[in-house]
Amino acid sequence: MSKVVVKDIVEKFMWNVITGNAQALQRPLTQVDTNRPGLELAGYFPGTQVKRLVVLGDKEIGYIHSEMDEISQRRAFEYLTGPKTPAILITNGNACPEVLKEIANRKNFPVFSSEEKTSHVIVNITNYLDERLAKSMILHGELVRVHGVGVLISGKSGMGKSEIVLELIQRGHQLVADDRVDCFRIHNQLIGRPTPMIEGFMELRGVGIIDVEKMYGIASITKQTNIDLMITLESFRSTSAYDRVGIEEKTYQEILGIKILEMRIPVSAGRPMATIIETAVMNYLLLIQGTDSAKEFEERVLKEIAKNRDEEEEA
């Protein structure tokens, strides 16, 4: 999780600064959600999420001016400008209440204003903070986009993962990250990105580092993708139980709390791995659209067995 301070979000959305100096803009933002104070303005403070950015829209400003006297305003604003609250934003071009401005100046507390609608502002803040404060981890493997599906190819070192991905790139698919994948949970989805320093590069044993974009064109790489499918490469062992028909129970890997379908594919000399991975991805696309080829085949076999049984009983 990266560190985000008030200055970052102010510069991102170009809010107007009402109070707060450079030191005040260094307050940390640690919560994705915002707080529209309703009960707080009414004088009820238990349960308040004090670490959220406070948003005052038309309703809040209207309530402050029409229903709150100076004493109740001071009580509410003294609480809302506490040491753990990052900032207060006033939307829809509303003017800052004088009591709030006075208290914020005394405390060097950051207050901002925006001409944007409250609903738009909250969506923008949530989306921005969701990405900046996203949970993350580093995964070992290759991330490639095949037929629009983000495929994480994992396996032990020396399995030929980079060589397989290179062949997929030559077939028109896109490289996202080689060897190291920076994984983030954003909007309840897994997003994979390359480390900026090695973005667009691959390492091939015996060849060295290659620049994929310059060799295969700008369309051969992409900066990020959802991680939809995980393919684990294993050395072929005749004693291992691999899916033959596909009716076996599906296996999943949990990454940052999100389950990803996993396929274990054996690697052996002569197997066209790029073709197999393309086929696995197309079968995955059929699966998420509701077409399960294995089950359809099983139903066909069962119907044939029942037909033969009926013929034998008639005979």
Side-chain angles (χ1 to χ4, degrees):
M1 183 184 295
S2 61
K3 181 181 178 181
V4 183
V5 297
V6 171
K7 181 182 178 181
D8 298 326
I9 199 167
V10 171
E11 292 179 350
K12 170 69 176 178
F13 298 114
M14 296 183 291
W15 294 337
N16 302 313
V17 179
I18 298 175
T19 63
N21 60 17
Q23 181 181 357
L25 296 184
Q26 295 303 311
R27 286 181 173 237
L29 285 158
T30 60
Q31 300 292 321
V32 172
D33 295 323
T34 58
N35 175 28
R36 295 192 67 177
L39 292 175
E40 291 89 343
L41 295 178
Y44 185 81
F45 304 119
T48 300
Q49 298 292 332
V50 294
K51 294 184 179 181
R52 294 180 180 178
L53 190 148
V54 175
V55 177
L56 300 178
D58 288 341
K59 290 182 179 179
E60 290 80 13
I61 294 297
Y63 182 83
I64 290 168
H65 290 314
S66 63
E67 302 294 335
M68 299 178 69
D69 57 23
E70 182 178 341
I71 295 175
S72 59
Q73 286 188 38
R74 288 188 178 280
R75 182 186 180 196
F77 293 144
E78 286 286 354
Y79 183 82
L80 291 174
T81 55
K84 294 183 180 180
T85 303
I88 293 177
L89 173 66
I90 301 170
T91 62
N92 282 339
N94 286 297
C96 178
E98 290 300 321
V99 175
L100 172 59
K101 186 184 295 186
E102 175 198 327
I103 293 173
N105 277 321
R106 172 165 49 83
K107 291 185 173 182
N108 191 25
F109 182 89
V111 177
F112 311 101
S113 67
S114 171
E115 300 296 325
E116 293 287 327
K117 291 182 178 180
T118 308
S119 57
H120 294 171
V121 167
I122 291 176
V123 169
N124 290 338
I125 292 172
T126 302
N127 288 340
Y128 174 76
L129 292 178
D130 202 10
E131 291 194 19
R132 290 293 306 273
L133 300 175
K135 294 180 180 179
S136 64
M137 65 182 298
I138 297 172
L139 301 175
H140 174 68
E142 310 288 320
L143 184 58
V144 63
R145 197 171 184 186
V146 180
H147 297 310
V149 176
V151 183
L152 177 66
I153 303 174
S154 64
K156 293 182 179 179
S157 180
M159 296 295 295
K161 298 186 294 296
S162 295
E163 290 78 1
I164 294 169
V165 168
L166 183 60
E167 187 173 351
L168 288 169
I169 293 169
Q170 292 172 339
R171 291 171 178 238
H173 306 296
Q174 294 178 301
L175 170 72
V176 182
D178 174 59
D179 192 47
R180 166 178 163 157
V181 180
D182 293 342
C183 181
F184 302 85
R185 177 173 177 165
I186 302 174
H187 310 316
N188 289 323
Q189 292 182 323
L190 284 180
I191 305 295
R193 298 170 181 163
T195 300
M197 187 176 66
I198 60 175
E199 180 181 335
F201 291 91
M202 287 185 66
E203 177 193 359
L204 292 174
R205 285 183 176 83
V207 177
I209 303 296
I210 65 171
D211 189 326
V212 175
E213 180 180 351
K214 289 182 179 178
M215 292 181 69
Y216 297 101
I218 194 170
S220 64
I221 66 169
T222 184
K223 294 183 179 293
Q224 71 175 39
T225 185
N226 290 356
I227 301 177
D228 305 302
L229 176 64
M230 182 174 181
I231 293 179
T232 302
L233 303 180
E234 299 179 345
S235 297
F236 182 82
R237 297 186 300 273
S238 59
T239 56
S240 296
Y242 297 108
D243 286 357
R244 297 296 296 271
V245 179
I247 60 174
E248 296 83 358
E249 184 177 352
K250 300 293 188 292
T251 59
Y252 295 85
Q253 282 284 349
E254 187 170 305
I255 303 173
L256 295 176
I258 296 178
K259 290 185 177 180
I260 301 296
L261 179 64
E262 180 188 25
M263 296 182 183
R264 294 189 304 120
I265 298 179
V267 177
S268 62
R271 293 198 86 193
M273 295 307 301
T275 300
I276 291 172
I277 288 176
E278 283 181 325
T279 304
V281 170
M282 288 187 285
N283 195 54
Y284 167 79
L285 288 172
L286 285 174
L287 191 63
I288 62 176
Q289 291 174 4
T291 301
D292 193 328
S293 302
K295 288 186 177 180
E296 290 183 2
F297 176 75
E298 182 185 30
E299 290 173 1
R300 184 180 298 182
V301 170
L302 292 175
K303 286 180 181 179
E304 188 66 24
I305 292 173
K307 177 183 177 183
N308 293 336
R309 185 185 298 114
D310 291 341
E311 290 176 353
E312 289 177 359
E313 290 177 355
E314 291 177 359

